[in-house]
Amino acid sequence: MKATLACALMVGAMALAGASALAEDRGPTTISEIRHESSDRSTRIAVDCTGPVAYTYYSPDPLTLVVDIPEVDSSSVPSRINVATREVESIRVTGSARGDGRSLARLEIRLASLVPFQIYSKDKTLNLVFERAPEAAAAQSAEQRTAEAAAPAAPAPAVEAPAPVAPDSFDRAAASAAVVVTAPQAGKRASRILSVTPGDEDGQFAVTVKADGALRYQDFFLGNPDRLVLDFKDVTSKAMRPVEVNREPVRAVRLGQFSTVAPRIARLVLDLSTRAPYRIVEVADGMKIVFGEGETPRPAPLASLRTEPEAQVETGFSAPPSVILLPAPAPEPMPAPITEPLQAPAQVPVEFEPIQVTAREKQFTGHPISLDFKDGDLQDIFRLFADISGLNIVVNPGVTGKVTLKLNEVPWDQALDLILKANNLGYTLENNVIRIAPLSALQREEQEARKLAEERALAGDLEVFSKRLSYAKAAELEATVKKVALSARGTITLDPRTNTMIITDLPVNIERAKELIIDLDRATSQVEIEARIVVTSRNFTRDLGIQWGFLNRQVPQFNNTTNLAFPNAIVLNGQGVPSAGGIPADQGIAGADTAGIGPSDRGYAVNLPATAFNSAIGISLGNILGSFNLDLALTALERQGRGRLLSTPKVTTQNNQSAEIKQGVQIPIQTVANNTVTVSFKDAVLTLRVTPQITEAGTVILTVEVENNSADFANLVNGIPPINTQSAKTQVLVRDGATAVIGGIYQSNEQTSQGRTPFLANLPFVGNLFRNRFITNTNNELLLFITPRIIRG
């Protein structure tokens, strides 16, 4: 498995095969020997131990690899081993004892260049294999280092950055070309950094580092996000909180002690908002990082920064180039801050948001790391997170256990969050110290702290405050004031006669109650609501009728018989049709004005008069002998009507208070049960019920109920009239003074009917003598209007 040394931290842990119980019986595991060998393709380091080993590793900077071996003693091997190959410079071995008595061995491997590597354990040996870069790239890098070392004092023109070595195996965000060398100042070597000051230098932005002598430094660039890092060897510094600069191209400056053991290293980190050229000017009492000079940067591998000659490999530091341009800006630089992997507890605190259980997705901003643990000890893992985060970590007693996980390119704060969740742990963050404890313990502490705060808040002498309310009822405000403003010790006493509220509570709650009462005890606006109920009706009726009959007599009386034996006499008339309605036949009443048409012995062949007609005409025709007579009567009716009923109920009420107004009659209804007569009354009234709500925009929300009920005395049922009901119930939003239609009903009734004589009524033209026609049209319309008016002043 290949890993990279870029800005991502690589952490791995493996549990080896074998019985751990047997290893404990043989005593603690120790490192017996550290061997290294080099070939034309790689450098291999073998760590021989007396028992199976587990390990973790990470990279604090691109050219350093740190391997931790827990529960292993390293006292039997040298503290420093020089390797001096093209891949590895040296190995520093340190050992420490934890609070529980268990030991920890640490291997700090300084690399000569950025190369891919492998770490694996086999039997009792931990193997580290560093692969060599292609020969062409290695030769080119060697020629460049020789050329740069040959002319250290004269300014060099911009040069092409060497081709990247194994470009897929390390961070591409590297520094590049345009080197201008200035002679380092001779004199005393610095041992302590005194101050770091951002400011202007000859019109350009610069960061000045003051020390008690000349500084030896190693500078390199890290991306994602962009940072310029300077390590100072054999120098101590006091931890400095991040200083917000916000001057292009520097956002913030951080300083801390990266390593507290020999060789002591202080680290300066400049968080960049954009990539820009810079140069380093060395002075006798420190150095200056000046931004804004140089050519357009071009990417180059970080290995090109290491320009020290072979004679200085053991120290790990040399006189670096004085001017290095940062690489060109990335297409989309990440704005989130990413912390540097710092080791000392006194390190500058990094921005770290406490982990909280929330419904929304959390944002993590830490370095991406890869984790591979198998039965990793929690306390060792938390110590490792202290190194990579730069924060101080305190673990509560009793926090123990092991964890197994494998993560790839996960932010370190998210990885810590996952480990804590998997073990039911949580933490608190105070300044730059993280305290890890079980969730139950943290919850208990929060509850106790909350109870203590409540007890402190409830302590003190009580005061009495009385307030006479002007507009609100004291009984209505009692529950609100007690719930919102008073403490557990607060009480409210009411005097209904004077509408006074008497409050007893702590002074701070008294003030809160005063403000609340002033805000609530206000005069509310009033609203006048006017409703208009319009009922319109239109009707039209047309009725046309006809009556006619005849009498034909061929009898000896008139000497007009048929001269046949049969039939000799013929009489034809409409006597068989009764004269119901219309104009009746003559009943022998004297006076032509009251008599019907024709004599009493005649009737109608077609009797289709108009119903309740108000117009009629009758015609009676006959020959001179009176043997043939024709009687005809036409009746007609046409009626048209229009009606409008306007009802305007009006009521005034306060905001959010319901009001009702009604007008009409009550109809008594008698019921008899068990020989007992009971009288009840039913309303047939016009009713308006409304509740207004005034909005901040000056509009009014109305909850309206309108009823227009009336008794129908024309259609009595057992002497009791039915009730015609018209009603509407709704909620509307109306502007002040505007009128809205809240409802309406429109009814249209059209009827046409005919009385007909079969078959003959279908004849053209002549058919009109055998039918009548009745037409009626009725239209009814109901409209409900509402108009609110806010009464101001």
Side-chain angles (χ1 to χ4, degrees):
M1 181 183 63
K2 294 186 178 181
T4 66
L5 280 180
C7 65
L9 171 68
M10 300 296 297
V11 181
M14 300 178 60
L16 300 179
S20 59
L22 295 176
E24 292 177 358
D25 293 340
R26 290 193 299 265
T29 303
T30 62
I31 299 177
S32 59
E33 184 183 7
I34 298 179
R35 297 174 286 108
H36 61 86
E37 59 185 22
S38 178
S39 66
D40 57 351
R41 298 182 59 88
S42 64
T43 296
R44 178 176 177 271
I45 299 174
V47 181
D48 296 330
C49 302
T50 59
V53 294
Y55 64 91
T56 62
Y57 67 93
Y58 65 96
S59 176
D61 63 66
L63 297 176
T64 303
L65 176 65
V66 178
V67 181
D68 287 342
I69 308 175
E71 300 185 17
V72 170
D73 183 14
S74 62
S75 59
S76 61
V77 295
S79 61
R80 187 176 186 84
I81 300 173
N82 293 328
V83 180
T85 66
R86 293 184 178 180
E87 293 78 33
V88 181
E89 292 180 354
S90 62
I91 304 172
R92 186 162 65 94
V93 183
T94 58
S96 62
R98 303 196 316 184
D100 55 4
R102 292 185 293 174
S103 59
L104 175 70
R106 171 168 292 181
L107 307 181
E108 183 177 338
I109 303 170
R110 293 290 296 175
L111 304 180
S113 60
L114 288 173
V115 293
F117 65 91
Q118 300 181 49
I119 301 179
Y120 63 93
S121 61
K122 184 178 181 182
D123 297 332
K124 301 178 183 181
T125 303
L126 178 63
N127 299 275
L128 296 91
V129 179
F130 300 88
E131 298 181 0
R132 182 162 300 176
E135 288 298 327
Q140 185 176 359
S141 297
E143 292 174 2
Q144 182 181 2
R145 289 197 300 268
T146 304
E148 291 173 351
V159 296
E160 284 280 334
V165 178
D168 293 336
S169 63
F170 55 84
D171 189 2
R172 299 176 185 272
S176 68
V179 177
V180 179
V181 179
T182 59
Q185 300 291 327
K188 171 187 172 183
R189 292 290 186 183
S191 61
R192 185 163 58 95
I193 293 179
L194 303 177
S195 66
V196 177
T197 307
D200 292 327
E201 180 75 17
D202 296 333
Q204 294 177 323
F205 179 71
V207 177
T208 302
V209 181
K210 289 291 185 181
D212 58 355
L215 292 168
R216 290 183 296 167
Y217 65 92
Q218 172 81 31
D219 59 325
F220 55 91
F221 173 76
L222 297 177
N224 196 24
D226 296 336
R227 289 152 294 160
L228 177 62
V229 182
L230 290 93
D231 283 346
F232 303 101
K233 184 184 177 185
D234 295 331
V235 171
T236 60
S237 68
K238 189 176 182 180
M240 181 183 73
R241 291 182 176 272
V243 177
E244 296 293 335
V245 178
N246 295 324
R247 288 279 304 276
E248 292 293 336
V250 180
R251 288 192 297 105
V253 177
R254 294 174 282 154
L255 176 66
Q257 192 67 34
F258 177 68
S259 176
T260 57
V261 297
R264 297 185 304 275
I265 298 176
R267 170 164 289 184
L268 177 66
V269 180
L270 280 68
D271 295 324
L272 304 180
S273 58
T274 182
R275 304 181 184 182
Y278 72 94
R279 63 186 177 93
I280 298 177
V281 180
E282 300 181 23
V283 294
D285 58 348
M287 61 185 301
K288 295 180 181 179
I289 304 104
V290 182
F291 291 89
E293 294 186 2
E295 299 179 359
T296 303
R298 283 167 290 182
L302 282 176
S304 64
L305 299 178
R306 299 188 56 80
T307 57
E308 62 270 26
E310 293 297 331
Q312 295 174 337
V313 168
E314 279 197 35
T315 63
F317 279 82
S318 65
S322 298
V323 175
I324 303 175
L325 298 183
L326 277 72
E332 294 183 358
M334 295 179 60
I338 297 181
T339 59
E340 292 296 325
L342 306 177
Q343 289 181 328
Q347 192 60 277
V348 178
V350 295
E351 184 177 351
F352 190 87
E353 182 180 355
I355 298 172
Q356 299 176 355
V357 179
T358 58
R360 64 180 186 275
E361 183 180 357
K362 288 189 286 189
Q363 301 293 328
F364 299 99
T365 59
H367 283 292
I369 63 174
S370 297
L371 302 172
D372 189 356
F373 290 114
K374 182 178 180 182
D375 296 333
D377 186 81
L378 280 178
Q379 294 193 5
D380 290 337
I381 293 172
F382 292 147
R383 290 167 59 91
L384 180 61
F385 274 103
D387 292 339
I388 67 177
S389 67
L391 296 170
N392 302 310
I393 293 183
V394 177
V395 182
N396 268 28
V399 176
T400 59
K402 296 184 180 297
V403 64
T404 299
L405 59 87
K406 184 172 183 179
L407 301 174
N408 185 30
E409 293 297 316
V410 176
W412 69 263
D413 47 352
Q414 183 179 6
L416 178 60
D417 187 15
L418 293 173
I419 294 173
L420 294 176
K421 286 182 179 178
N423 292 273
N424 292 323
L425 299 175
Y427 69 81
T428 61
L429 179 63
E430 300 176 5
N431 295 329
N432 64 334
V433 179
I434 294 178
R435 183 170 65 88
I436 297 176
L439 289 175
S440 58
L442 294 177
Q443 292 173 356
R444 185 170 57 255
E445 290 176 3
E446 290 180 0
Q447 293 174 358
E448 293 174 354
R450 183 168 58 251
K451 291 180 180 178
L452 179 60
E454 292 176 354
E455 292 297 330
R456 289 177 177 174
L458 294 177
D461 297 331
L462 300 180
E463 291 186 1
V464 179
F465 166 74
S466 63
K467 175 66 175 178
R468 183 175 181 178
L469 305 184
S470 300
Y471 304 102
K473 294 292 185 182
E476 296 177 354
L477 291 187
E478 178 184 8
T480 302
V481 174
K482 190 169 185 178
K483 183 177 181 179
V484 176
L486 300 190
S487 67
R489 298 178 62 188
T491 59
I492 297 179
T493 304
L494 302 180
D495 181 14
R497 183 180 64 86
T498 59
N499 197 32
T500 301
M501 181 179 293
I502 304 171
I503 302 174
T504 304
D505 207 343
L506 299 171
V508 62
N509 297 94
I510 291 290
E511 292 300 325
R512 191 180 307 161
K514 288 181 181 179
E515 296 176 358
L516 182 61
I517 292 174
I518 292 174
D519 189 50
L520 296 180
D521 187 27
R522 295 182 179 179
T524 57
S525 300
Q526 297 187 122
V527 183
E528 179 189 70
I529 301 100
E530 178 183 356
R532 287 190 293 275
I533 305 170
V534 181
V535 180
T536 62
S537 62
R538 290 178 295 172
N539 57 77
F540 173 80
T541 301
R542 175 178 291 170
D543 195 358
L544 298 177
I546 186 171
Q547 294 172 291
W548 65 271
F550 63 93
L551 175 61
N552 180 28
R553 289 179 294 184
Q554 292 178 293
V555 294
Q557 180 182 353
F558 296 105
N559 195 24
N560 59 351
T561 59
T562 61
N563 298 322
L564 298 175
F566 180 85
N568 181 265
I570 299 175
V571 177
L572 296 175
N573 63 13
Q575 183 66 35
V577 178
S579 58
I583 298 178
D586 184 27
Q587 301 298 321
I589 303 175
D593 54 342
T594 59
I597 299 175
S600 60
D601 58 349
R602 294 205 297 265
Y604 296 113
V606 176
N607 187 27
L608 298 173
T611 303
F613 59 90
N614 57 11
S615 301
I617 185 172
I619 302 175
S620 182
L621 303 175
N623 59 9
I624 193 169
L625 294 177
S627 61
F628 182 83
N629 295 282
L630 177 64
D631 301 321
L632 176 67
L634 298 176
T635 56
L637 170 69
E638 183 170 301
R639 181 184 295 115
Q640 183 175 358
R642 293 176 180 268
R644 185 181 71 169
L645 175 62
L646 175 62
S647 302
T648 309
K650 184 184 298 183
V651 66
T652 301
T653 182
Q654 287 188 341
N655 186 29
N656 291 317
Q657 298 295 323
S658 61
E660 179 179 352
I661 186 172
K662 61 174 61 176
Q663 182 267 333
V665 298
Q666 288 186 327
I667 301 173
I669 301 175
Q670 291 185 355
T671 58
V672 180
N674 298 327
N675 296 323
T676 302
V677 178
T678 303
V679 179
S680 60
F681 293 89
K682 180 69 175 178
D683 290 338
V685 297
L686 171 65
T687 306
L688 171 64
R689 299 185 188 93
V690 63
T691 302
Q693 177 184 342
I694 303 174
T695 67
E696 291 294 333
T699 58
V700 183
I701 299 175
L702 297 174
T703 302
V704 186
E705 184 175 358
V706 180
E707 293 182 359
N708 186 24
N709 301 332
S710 60
D712 185 5
F713 293 97
N715 300 293
L716 299 177
V717 179
N718 295 328
I720 300 174
I723 298 177
N724 296 325
T725 300
Q726 299 169 335
S727 64
K729 184 177 181 180
T730 184
Q731 187 178 69
V732 292
L733 175 65
V734 188
R735 295 193 309 272
D736 179 23
T739 300
V741 180
I742 64 173
I745 299 175
Y746 179 79
Q747 291 180 320
S748 178
N749 185 9
E750 297 183 2
Q751 294 182 1
T752 301
S753 63
Q754 285 185 344
R756 303 161 61 94
T757 299
F759 306 114
L760 298 178
N762 296 328
L763 297 176
F765 301 107
V766 180
N768 291 323
L769 299 175
F770 299 94
R771 60 175 179 250
N772 66 359
R773 181 182 297 270
F774 177 79
I775 299 174
T776 179
N777 294 329
T778 302
N779 296 321
N780 296 320
E781 186 173 9
L782 170 67
L783 293 176
L784 303 177
F785 300 88
I786 196 78
T787 303
R789 296 182 180 89
I790 301 175
I791 301 175
R792 295 179 172 86

